[in-house]
Amino acid sequence: KPSSVPVHPTGPYLQNSLTLMVEAQEELEPRSLLPCHRLDRCTSGLTLCCTNSAVARLIQVQMDNKEVEKVYVAKVKGQFMPKDSLYLRVVNDDEFLFEAPIDVVDVKKGLRAVSE
């Protein structure tokens, strides 16, 4: 899902939501696509959807129980943290694992930032 597109119809986005656009593209019945989780409107990424409510609920439960590993990838512009940072683990020359608390900066815009 690209950023700026909501997962499901809401507020001023009654027509331009991910579920409605995919339903139209794939010639599915309106309101037949069920998101298994949500991404904020400002977040881009993979979104799992089902047309079977039992399967959607199973995936939702697995996600709620932390049985599904989610990985977030971000591009950084400018200076990144030093390699000896408490929250940074070097995986290889091109990949770092960053595990830090993230706080909500602006709820309406869906903006978040590392809290330190």
Side-chain angles (χ1 to χ4, degrees), residues 10-27:
T10 183
Y13 303 95
L14 295 178
Q15 298 301 317
N16 295 322
S17 68
L18 177 71
T19 54
L20 291 181
M21 289 187 282
V22 171
E23 287 165 352
Q25 177 181 314
E26 298 300 317
E27 299 178 359

Side-chain angles (χ1 to χ4, degrees), residues 30-93:
R31 309 276 181 173
S32 64
L33 201 56
L34 308 167
C36 298
H37 64 104
R38 63 187 275 310
L39 289 177
D40 290 336
R41 184 175 54 83
C42 295
T43 304
S44 63
L46 178 70
T47 304
L48 297 177
C49 296
C50 294
T51 55
N52 180 301
S53 60
V55 173
R57 184 67 192 133
L58 176 66
I59 294 171
Q60 289 168 350
V61 168
Q62 290 174 331
M63 293 185 108
D64 290 345
N65 292 337
K66 309 286 188 219
E67 296 171 23
V68 176
E69 181 181 356
K70 295 188 260 182
V71 176
Y72 295 87
V73 178
K75 289 184 179 180
V76 176
K77 182 177 180 181
Q79 198 70 16
F80 195 64
M81 300 191 113
K83 290 184 180 179
D84 62 350
S85 168
L86 175 65
Y87 300 113
L88 191 66
R89 181 167 56 87
V90 177
V91 177
N92 59 46
D93 289 341

